[in-house]
Amino acid sequence: MGGKQREEEHVLLTLPNIKYLVEGLEALLMTDLDGDKRAKVIKLRDDLASYINSIFNDYS
């Protein structure tokens, strides 16, 4: 089951899914989040951006 789960994790980050994730995180940042939740959303956004950048840097 571990292999199947790992395979599914790689499939979930498609370009449309990334677009929805980014839009959702940006929408959350426009709301009135408290400090801890806001920090978590910013970290998720930054981690996602870092992951995307690493994908493109791996191919250069």
Side-chain angles (χ1 to χ4, degrees):
M1 181 170 159
K4 181 176 173 63
Q5 183 179 6
R6 181 167 289 147
E7 180 180 319
E8 290 174 358
E9 288 173 3
H10 293 314
V11 173
L12 293 176
L13 267 183
T14 63
L15 287 178
N17 287 349
I18 291 169
K19 178 184 172 196
Y20 290 125
L21 284 170
V22 170
E23 288 173 354
L25 292 173
E26 291 298 324
L28 278 173
L29 287 173
M30 290 184 218
T31 64
D32 188 26
L33 294 173
D34 67 16
D36 186 47
K37 288 180 184 176
R38 184 170 189 79
K40 288 179 182 180
V41 171
I42 290 170
K43 180 171 179 357
L44 282 172
R45 183 196 60 192
D46 292 347
D47 288 349
L48 180 60
S50 176
Y51 178 74
I52 292 167
N53 287 332
S54 73
I55 291 171
F56 291 109
N57 289 337
D58 287 346
Y59 291 111
S60 31

Short mmCIF file of all heavy atoms in Angstrom, two decimals:
data_model
loop_
_atom_site.label_atom_id
_atom_site.label_comp_id
_atom_site.label_asym_id
_atom_site.label_seq_id
_atom_site.Cartn_x
_atom_site.Cartn_y
_atom_site.Cartn_z
N MET A 1 0.82 -1.20 0.00
CA MET A 1 0.00 0.00 0.00
C MET A 1 0.87 1.26 0.00
O MET A 1 0.50 2.26 -0.56
CB MET A 1 -0.92 -0.01 1.21
CG MET A 1 -1.82 1.21 1.23
SD MET A 1 -3.05 1.00 2.50
CE MET A 1 -3.51 2.67 2.73
N GLY A 2 2.04 1.22 0.60
CA GLY A 2 2.92 2.38 0.65
C GLY A 2 3.30 2.87 -0.73
O GLY A 2 3.35 4.05 -0.98
N GLY A 3 3.58 1.94 -1.66
CA GLY A 3 3.95 2.32 -3.01
C GLY A 3 2.80 2.98 -3.74
O GLY A 3 2.97 3.96 -4.45
N LYS A 4 1.60 2.44 -3.57
CA LYS A 4 0.42 3.02 -4.21
C LYS A 4 0.16 4.42 -3.66
O LYS A 4 -0.13 5.34 -4.42
CB LYS A 4 -0.80 2.14 -4.01
CG LYS A 4 -2.06 2.68 -4.67
CD LYS A 4 -3.20 1.71 -4.52
CE LYS A 4 -4.50 2.25 -5.00
NZ LYS A 4 -4.63 2.57 -6.36
N GLN A 5 0.29 4.60 -2.35
CA GLN A 5 0.07 5.91 -1.75
C GLN A 5 1.11 6.90 -2.28
O GLN A 5 0.78 8.02 -2.62
CB GLN A 5 0.14 5.84 -0.24
CG GLN A 5 -0.16 7.17 0.43
CD GLN A 5 -0.11 7.08 1.94
OE1 GLN A 5 0.26 6.05 2.50
NE2 GLN A 5 -0.46 8.14 2.59
N ARG A 6 2.36 6.50 -2.37
CA ARG A 6 3.41 7.38 -2.87
C ARG A 6 3.13 7.78 -4.32
O ARG A 6 3.28 8.92 -4.70
CB ARG A 6 4.77 6.70 -2.75
CG ARG A 6 5.89 7.60 -3.23
CD ARG A 6 7.24 7.09 -2.84
NE ARG A 6 7.38 7.27 -1.40
CZ ARG A 6 8.06 6.46 -0.62
NH1 ARG A 6 8.68 5.43 -1.11
NH2 ARG A 6 8.14 6.67 0.67
N GLU A 7 2.66 6.81 -5.13
CA GLU A 7 2.33 7.10 -6.52
C GLU A 7 1.20 8.12 -6.60
O GLU A 7 1.25 9.05 -7.40
CB GLU A 7 1.92 5.80 -7.23
CG GLU A 7 1.56 5.98 -8.69
CD GLU A 7 1.15 4.67 -9.33
OE1 GLU A 7 1.81 3.65 -9.05
OE2 GLU A 7 0.19 4.68 -10.09
N GLU A 8 0.18 7.97 -5.76
CA GLU A 8 -0.94 8.91 -5.75
C GLU A 8 -0.50 10.30 -5.32
O GLU A 8 -1.00 11.29 -5.83
CB GLU A 8 -2.05 8.40 -4.83
CG GLU A 8 -2.77 7.20 -5.38
CD GLU A 8 -3.77 6.61 -4.40
OE1 GLU A 8 -3.88 7.13 -3.26
OE2 GLU A 8 -4.43 5.63 -4.76
N GLU A 9 0.46 10.40 -4.41
CA GLU A 9 0.94 11.70 -3.98
C GLU A 9 1.57 12.46 -5.14
O GLU A 9 1.42 13.66 -5.26
CB GLU A 9 1.97 11.54 -2.85
CG GLU A 9 1.35 11.11 -1.55
CD GLU A 9 2.40 10.80 -0.49
OE1 GLU A 9 3.60 10.97 -0.75
OE2 GLU A 9 2.00 10.38 0.61
N HIS A 10 2.26 11.76 -6.01
CA HIS A 10 2.90 12.41 -7.16
C HIS A 10 1.87 12.81 -8.21
O HIS A 10 2.06 13.80 -8.89
CB HIS A 10 3.94 11.49 -7.80
CG HIS A 10 5.12 11.23 -6.92
ND1 HIS A 10 5.78 12.22 -6.24
CD2 HIS A 10 5.75 10.10 -6.60
CE1 HIS A 10 6.78 11.71 -5.55
NE2 HIS A 10 6.77 10.40 -5.73
N VAL A 11 0.79 12.09 -8.32
CA VAL A 11 -0.23 12.38 -9.33
C VAL A 11 -1.08 13.58 -8.94
O VAL A 11 -1.56 14.30 -9.79
CB VAL A 11 -1.13 11.13 -9.53
CG1 VAL A 11 -2.30 11.44 -10.43
CG2 VAL A 11 -0.31 9.99 -10.10
N LEU A 12 -1.23 13.85 -7.66
CA LEU A 12 -2.14 14.90 -7.21
C LEU A 12 -1.69 16.31 -7.59
O LEU A 12 -2.51 17.19 -7.74
CB LEU A 12 -2.32 14.82 -5.69
CG LEU A 12 -3.05 13.59 -5.19
CD1 LEU A 12 -3.09 13.60 -3.66
CD2 LEU A 12 -4.46 13.52 -5.74
N LEU A 13 -0.41 16.56 -7.76
CA LEU A 13 0.05 17.90 -8.11
C LEU A 13 0.11 18.08 -9.61
O LEU A 13 1.16 18.04 -10.23
CB LEU A 13 1.42 18.18 -7.49
CG LEU A 13 1.39 18.86 -6.15
CD1 LEU A 13 2.79 19.15 -5.65
CD2 LEU A 13 0.57 20.11 -6.14
N THR A 14 -1.06 18.28 -10.21
CA THR A 14 -1.15 18.60 -11.63
C THR A 14 -1.21 20.12 -11.75
O THR A 14 -1.47 20.82 -10.76
CB THR A 14 -2.39 17.96 -12.25
OG1 THR A 14 -3.55 18.53 -11.62
CG2 THR A 14 -2.39 16.46 -12.09
N LEU A 15 -1.02 20.64 -12.93
CA LEU A 15 -1.06 22.09 -13.10
C LEU A 15 -2.41 22.69 -12.68
O LEU A 15 -2.43 23.72 -12.00
CB LEU A 15 -0.71 22.48 -14.53
CG LEU A 15 0.78 22.31 -14.86
CD1 LEU A 15 1.04 22.67 -16.31
CD2 LEU A 15 1.65 23.15 -13.96
N PRO A 16 -3.55 22.08 -13.05
CA PRO A 16 -4.82 22.65 -12.56
C PRO A 16 -4.93 22.61 -11.04
O PRO A 16 -5.44 23.56 -10.43
CB PRO A 16 -5.90 21.76 -13.21
CG PRO A 16 -5.24 21.20 -14.42
CD PRO A 16 -3.79 21.03 -14.03
N ASN A 17 -4.44 21.53 -10.41
CA ASN A 17 -4.49 21.45 -8.95
C ASN A 17 -3.60 22.51 -8.31
O ASN A 17 -3.97 23.11 -7.30
CB ASN A 17 -4.07 20.07 -8.46
CG ASN A 17 -5.11 19.02 -8.73
OD1 ASN A 17 -6.24 19.32 -9.10
ND2 ASN A 17 -4.74 17.78 -8.55
N ILE A 18 -2.44 22.75 -8.88
CA ILE A 18 -1.54 23.78 -8.36
C ILE A 18 -2.22 25.14 -8.46
O ILE A 18 -2.17 25.94 -7.52
CB ILE A 18 -0.20 23.77 -9.12
CG1 ILE A 18 0.57 22.49 -8.79
CG2 ILE A 18 0.61 25.01 -8.79
CD1 ILE A 18 1.78 22.26 -9.66
N LYS A 19 -2.88 25.40 -9.58
CA LYS A 19 -3.58 26.68 -9.77
C LYS A 19 -4.64 26.87 -8.67
O LYS A 19 -4.72 27.93 -8.06
CB LYS A 19 -4.24 26.71 -11.14
CG LYS A 19 -5.02 27.96 -11.41
CD LYS A 19 -5.72 27.90 -12.74
CE LYS A 19 -6.65 29.09 -12.88
NZ LYS A 19 -7.62 28.94 -13.93
N TYR A 20 -5.43 25.83 -8.40
CA TYR A 20 -6.46 25.93 -7.37
C TYR A 20 -5.84 26.10 -5.99
O TYR A 20 -6.35 26.86 -5.17
CB TYR A 20 -7.38 24.71 -7.39
CG TYR A 20 -8.26 24.67 -8.61
CD1 TYR A 20 -8.28 23.57 -9.44
CD2 TYR A 20 -9.10 25.75 -8.93
CE1 TYR A 20 -9.09 23.53 -10.57
CE2 TYR A 20 -9.90 25.72 -10.06
CZ TYR A 20 -9.90 24.61 -10.87
OH TYR A 20 -10.69 24.57 -11.98
N LEU A 21 -4.74 25.42 -5.73
CA LEU A 21 -4.07 25.56 -4.44
C LEU A 21 -3.58 27.00 -4.23
O LEU A 21 -3.79 27.59 -3.18
CB LEU A 21 -2.88 24.60 -4.33
CG LEU A 21 -3.21 23.14 -4.08
CD1 LEU A 21 -1.95 22.30 -4.24
CD2 LEU A 21 -3.78 22.97 -2.69
N VAL A 22 -2.93 27.54 -5.24
CA VAL A 22 -2.40 28.89 -5.13
C VAL A 22 -3.54 29.89 -4.96
O VAL A 22 -3.49 30.78 -4.10
CB VAL A 22 -1.53 29.24 -6.36
CG1 VAL A 22 -1.17 30.71 -6.38
CG2 VAL A 22 -0.28 28.38 -6.38
N GLU A 23 -4.60 29.75 -5.77
CA GLU A 23 -5.74 30.66 -5.66
C GLU A 23 -6.39 30.56 -4.27
O GLU A 23 -6.77 31.56 -3.68
CB GLU A 23 -6.77 30.36 -6.74
CG GLU A 23 -6.32 30.77 -8.12
CD GLU A 23 -7.28 30.33 -9.21
OE1 GLU A 23 -8.25 29.59 -8.92
OE2 GLU A 23 -7.06 30.73 -10.36
N GLY A 24 -6.50 29.35 -3.76
CA GLY A 24 -7.09 29.15 -2.44
C GLY A 24 -6.25 29.76 -1.34
O GLY A 24 -6.78 30.39 -0.42
N LEU A 25 -4.94 29.59 -1.43
CA LEU A 25 -4.06 30.18 -0.42
C LEU A 25 -4.09 31.69 -0.48
O LEU A 25 -4.13 32.37 0.56
CB LEU A 25 -2.63 29.65 -0.60
CG LEU A 25 -2.43 28.16 -0.28
CD1 LEU A 25 -1.03 27.73 -0.66
CD2 LEU A 25 -2.73 27.86 1.17
N GLU A 26 -4.11 32.25 -1.68
CA GLU A 26 -4.19 33.70 -1.82
C GLU A 26 -5.52 34.22 -1.28
O GLU A 26 -5.57 35.26 -0.62
CB GLU A 26 -4.01 34.12 -3.28
CG GLU A 26 -2.60 33.90 -3.81
CD GLU A 26 -1.55 34.72 -3.08
OE1 GLU A 26 -1.82 35.87 -2.67
OE2 GLU A 26 -0.43 34.20 -2.91
N ALA A 27 -6.62 33.49 -1.52
CA ALA A 27 -7.93 33.90 -1.00
C ALA A 27 -7.93 33.85 0.53
O ALA A 27 -8.49 34.75 1.18
CB ALA A 27 -9.02 33.00 -1.56
N LEU A 28 -7.31 32.83 1.09
CA LEU A 28 -7.23 32.74 2.55
C LEU A 28 -6.46 33.92 3.14
O LEU A 28 -6.81 34.43 4.20
CB LEU A 28 -6.56 31.43 2.98
CG LEU A 28 -7.44 30.21 3.01
CD1 LEU A 28 -6.59 28.96 3.27
CD2 LEU A 28 -8.53 30.34 4.05
N LEU A 29 -5.42 34.35 2.44
CA LEU A 29 -4.62 35.46 2.96
C LEU A 29 -5.39 36.78 2.93
O LEU A 29 -5.05 37.71 3.65
CB LEU A 29 -3.31 35.59 2.17
CG LEU A 29 -2.29 34.50 2.46
CD1 LEU A 29 -1.10 34.61 1.53
CD2 LEU A 29 -1.85 34.54 3.92
N MET A 30 -6.43 36.86 2.10
CA MET A 30 -7.25 38.08 2.03
C MET A 30 -8.31 38.11 3.13
O MET A 30 -8.97 39.12 3.31
CB MET A 30 -7.90 38.19 0.66
CG MET A 30 -6.93 38.51 -0.43
SD MET A 30 -7.83 38.73 -1.97
CE MET A 30 -6.71 37.98 -3.11
N THR A 31 -8.49 37.00 3.83
CA THR A 31 -9.47 36.95 4.91
C THR A 31 -8.84 37.42 6.22
O THR A 31 -7.64 37.67 6.29
CB THR A 31 -10.04 35.53 5.08
OG1 THR A 31 -8.99 34.65 5.49
CG2 THR A 31 -10.68 35.02 3.80
N ASP A 32 -9.64 37.47 7.25
CA ASP A 32 -9.18 37.94 8.56
C ASP A 32 -8.70 36.76 9.40
O ASP A 32 -9.36 36.34 10.34
CB ASP A 32 -10.33 38.68 9.26
CG ASP A 32 -9.88 39.37 10.52
OD1 ASP A 32 -8.69 39.71 10.61
OD2 ASP A 32 -10.72 39.55 11.42
N LEU A 33 -7.54 36.21 9.04
CA LEU A 33 -6.97 35.10 9.79
C LEU A 33 -6.20 35.62 10.99
O LEU A 33 -5.58 36.68 10.92
CB LEU A 33 -6.01 34.30 8.90
CG LEU A 33 -6.59 33.55 7.72
CD1 LEU A 33 -5.46 32.97 6.87
CD2 LEU A 33 -7.52 32.46 8.18
N ASP A 34 -6.21 34.83 12.08
CA ASP A 34 -5.38 35.21 13.22
C ASP A 34 -3.92 34.91 12.90
O ASP A 34 -3.60 34.30 11.88
CB ASP A 34 -5.84 34.52 14.51
CG ASP A 34 -5.61 33.02 14.51
OD1 ASP A 34 -4.84 32.51 13.67
OD2 ASP A 34 -6.20 32.33 15.36
N GLY A 35 -3.02 35.35 13.73
CA GLY A 35 -1.59 35.27 13.47
C GLY A 35 -1.07 33.87 13.17
O GLY A 35 -0.33 33.67 12.22
N ASP A 36 -1.49 32.88 13.96
CA ASP A 36 -1.00 31.52 13.79
C ASP A 36 -1.50 30.90 12.48
O ASP A 36 -0.73 30.31 11.72
CB ASP A 36 -1.41 30.65 14.98
CG ASP A 36 -0.81 29.25 14.92
OD1 ASP A 36 0.41 29.16 14.67
OD2 ASP A 36 -1.56 28.28 15.12
N LYS A 37 -2.78 31.07 12.20
CA LYS A 37 -3.34 30.52 10.96
C LYS A 37 -2.76 31.23 9.75
O LYS A 37 -2.46 30.61 8.73
CB LYS A 37 -4.87 30.64 10.96
CG LYS A 37 -5.53 29.70 11.93
CD LYS A 37 -7.03 29.85 11.92
CE LYS A 37 -7.66 28.95 12.96
NZ LYS A 37 -9.10 29.15 13.04
N ARG A 38 -2.59 32.52 9.85
CA ARG A 38 -2.00 33.29 8.74
C ARG A 38 -0.57 32.81 8.47
O ARG A 38 -0.17 32.64 7.32
CB ARG A 38 -2.03 34.78 9.07
CG ARG A 38 -1.54 35.64 7.94
CD ARG A 38 -1.81 37.11 8.23
NE ARG A 38 -1.53 37.92 7.08
CZ ARG A 38 -2.33 38.07 6.04
NH1 ARG A 38 -3.48 37.46 6.01
NH2 ARG A 38 -1.98 38.82 5.01
N ALA A 39 0.18 32.58 9.52
CA ALA A 39 1.56 32.11 9.37
C ALA A 39 1.59 30.73 8.69
O ALA A 39 2.45 30.47 7.85
CB ALA A 39 2.25 32.04 10.72
N LYS A 40 0.63 29.87 9.04
CA LYS A 40 0.57 28.54 8.42
C LYS A 40 0.23 28.63 6.94
O LYS A 40 0.81 27.91 6.12
CB LYS A 40 -0.45 27.66 9.15
CG LYS A 40 0.01 27.21 10.51
CD LYS A 40 -1.04 26.36 11.19
CE LYS A 40 -0.59 25.94 12.57
NZ LYS A 40 -1.60 25.13 13.26
N VAL A 41 -0.69 29.53 6.58
CA VAL A 41 -1.06 29.70 5.17
C VAL A 41 0.13 30.25 4.39
O VAL A 41 0.42 29.78 3.28
CB VAL A 41 -2.30 30.62 5.02
CG1 VAL A 41 -2.55 30.98 3.57
CG2 VAL A 41 -3.53 29.93 5.62
N ILE A 42 0.82 31.21 4.95
CA ILE A 42 2.00 31.76 4.28
C ILE A 42 3.07 30.69 4.10
O ILE A 42 3.68 30.58 3.04
CB ILE A 42 2.55 32.97 5.07
CG1 ILE A 42 1.57 34.14 4.95
CG2 ILE A 42 3.94 33.37 4.57
CD1 ILE A 42 1.87 35.31 5.87
N LYS A 43 3.26 29.84 5.13
CA LYS A 43 4.24 28.76 5.01
C LYS A 43 3.83 27.77 3.93
O LYS A 43 4.67 27.34 3.13
CB LYS A 43 4.41 28.04 6.35
CG LYS A 43 5.43 26.91 6.25
CD LYS A 43 5.77 26.33 7.58
CE LYS A 43 6.75 25.21 7.54
NZ LYS A 43 7.26 24.71 6.32
N LEU A 44 2.55 27.41 3.86
CA LEU A 44 2.08 26.51 2.81
C LEU A 44 2.32 27.11 1.43
O LEU A 44 2.77 26.43 0.51
CB LEU A 44 0.59 26.21 2.99
CG LEU A 44 0.22 25.21 4.05
CD1 LEU A 44 -1.30 25.19 4.23
CD2 LEU A 44 0.71 23.83 3.69
N ARG A 45 2.00 28.39 1.28
CA ARG A 45 2.22 29.06 0.00
C ARG A 45 3.69 29.07 -0.37
O ARG A 45 4.06 28.75 -1.51
CB ARG A 45 1.68 30.50 0.07
CG ARG A 45 1.80 31.23 -1.26
CD ARG A 45 1.64 32.70 -1.12
NE ARG A 45 2.68 33.22 -0.23
CZ ARG A 45 2.67 34.44 0.27
NH1 ARG A 45 1.69 35.26 0.02
NH2 ARG A 45 3.65 34.84 1.06
N ASP A 46 4.54 29.39 0.58
CA ASP A 46 5.98 29.42 0.32
C ASP A 46 6.53 28.04 0.01
O ASP A 46 7.37 27.88 -0.88
CB ASP A 46 6.72 30.04 1.50
CG ASP A 46 6.42 31.52 1.67
OD1 ASP A 46 5.83 32.13 0.75
OD2 ASP A 46 6.76 32.06 2.74
N ASP A 47 6.05 27.01 0.74
CA ASP A 47 6.48 25.64 0.47
C ASP A 47 6.06 25.19 -0.91
O ASP A 47 6.81 24.53 -1.62
CB ASP A 47 5.92 24.67 1.53
CG ASP A 47 6.58 24.82 2.89
OD1 ASP A 47 7.62 25.52 2.99
OD2 ASP A 47 6.03 24.26 3.85
N LEU A 48 4.83 25.54 -1.30
CA LEU A 48 4.34 25.19 -2.64
C LEU A 48 5.18 25.86 -3.72
O LEU A 48 5.59 25.23 -4.69
CB LEU A 48 2.87 25.57 -2.78
CG LEU A 48 2.21 25.26 -4.12
CD1 LEU A 48 2.26 23.77 -4.43
CD2 LEU A 48 0.77 25.75 -4.13
N ALA A 49 5.47 27.14 -3.53
CA ALA A 49 6.29 27.86 -4.50
C ALA A 49 7.69 27.25 -4.58
O ALA A 49 8.23 27.08 -5.68
CB ALA A 49 6.38 29.34 -4.12
N SER A 50 8.25 26.89 -3.46
CA SER A 50 9.57 26.26 -3.44
C SER A 50 9.55 24.92 -4.16
O SER A 50 10.46 24.60 -4.93
CB SER A 50 10.02 26.09 -2.00
OG SER A 50 11.24 25.40 -1.93
N TYR A 51 8.50 24.13 -3.92
CA TYR A 51 8.37 22.83 -4.58
C TYR A 51 8.25 23.00 -6.09
O TYR A 51 8.92 22.30 -6.85
CB TYR A 51 7.14 22.10 -4.03
CG TYR A 51 6.90 20.77 -4.69
CD1 TYR A 51 7.71 19.69 -4.41
CD2 TYR A 51 5.88 20.62 -5.60
CE1 TYR A 51 7.50 18.47 -5.03
CE2 TYR A 51 5.66 19.41 -6.23
CZ TYR A 51 6.48 18.33 -5.93
OH TYR A 51 6.27 17.14 -6.55
N ILE A 52 7.45 23.95 -6.52
CA ILE A 52 7.28 24.19 -7.96
C ILE A 52 8.60 24.63 -8.57
O ILE A 52 9.00 24.16 -9.64
CB ILE A 52 6.17 25.23 -8.20
CG1 ILE A 52 4.82 24.65 -7.79
CG2 ILE A 52 6.15 25.67 -9.66
CD1 ILE A 52 3.72 25.68 -7.68
N ASN A 53 9.29 25.54 -7.90
CA ASN A 53 10.58 26.01 -8.41
C ASN A 53 11.58 24.87 -8.50
O ASN A 53 12.37 24.80 -9.44
CB ASN A 53 11.13 27.13 -7.54
CG ASN A 53 10.38 28.42 -7.74
OD1 ASN A 53 9.82 28.68 -8.80
ND2 ASN A 53 10.35 29.25 -6.71
N SER A 54 11.55 23.96 -7.53
CA SER A 54 12.50 22.84 -7.56
C SER A 54 12.21 21.90 -8.73
O SER A 54 13.14 21.32 -9.29
CB SER A 54 12.48 22.07 -6.24
OG SER A 54 11.32 21.29 -6.11
N ILE A 55 10.95 21.77 -9.09
CA ILE A 55 10.60 20.93 -10.25
C ILE A 55 11.26 21.48 -11.50
O ILE A 55 11.87 20.77 -12.27
CB ILE A 55 9.06 20.85 -10.44
CG1 ILE A 55 8.43 20.06 -9.32
CG2 ILE A 55 8.72 20.22 -11.79
CD1 ILE A 55 6.91 20.12 -9.31
N PHE A 56 11.13 22.80 -11.71
CA PHE A 56 11.68 23.41 -12.91
C PHE A 56 13.20 23.47 -12.86
O PHE A 56 13.85 23.35 -13.88
CB PHE A 56 11.07 24.79 -13.13
CG PHE A 56 9.62 24.72 -13.50
CD1 PHE A 56 8.65 25.12 -12.61
CD2 PHE A 56 9.23 24.22 -14.73
CE1 PHE A 56 7.30 25.04 -12.94
CE2 PHE A 56 7.90 24.13 -15.08
CZ PHE A 56 6.93 24.55 -14.19
N ASN A 57 13.78 23.64 -11.68
CA ASN A 57 15.24 23.68 -11.56
C ASN A 57 15.85 22.31 -11.78
O ASN A 57 16.98 22.20 -12.25
CB ASN A 57 15.64 24.21 -10.19
CG ASN A 57 15.36 25.68 -10.04
OD1 ASN A 57 15.26 26.41 -11.02
ND2 ASN A 57 15.21 26.13 -8.82
N ASP A 58 15.10 21.23 -11.48
CA ASP A 58 15.60 19.87 -11.69
C ASP A 58 15.77 19.55 -13.17
O ASP A 58 16.57 18.72 -13.54
CB ASP A 58 14.66 18.83 -11.06
CG ASP A 58 14.74 18.83 -9.54
OD1 ASP A 58 15.69 19.42 -9.00
OD2 ASP A 58 13.85 18.24 -8.91
N TYR A 59 15.01 20.22 -14.03
CA TYR A 59 15.05 19.94 -15.46
C TYR A 59 16.03 20.83 -16.22
O TYR A 59 16.21 20.69 -17.40
CB TYR A 59 13.66 20.07 -16.08
CG TYR A 59 12.73 18.98 -15.62
CD1 TYR A 59 11.66 19.27 -14.80
CD2 TYR A 59 12.94 17.67 -16.01
CE1 TYR A 59 10.82 18.26 -14.36
CE2 TYR A 59 12.10 16.66 -15.58
CZ TYR A 59 11.04 16.97 -14.76
OH TYR A 59 10.20 15.97 -14.33
N SER A 60 16.67 21.77 -15.52
CA SER A 60 17.60 22.63 -16.26
C SER A 60 19.00 22.11 -16.22
O SER A 60 19.38 21.17 -15.68
CB SER A 60 17.58 24.04 -15.71
OG SER A 60 17.30 24.16 -14.36
#
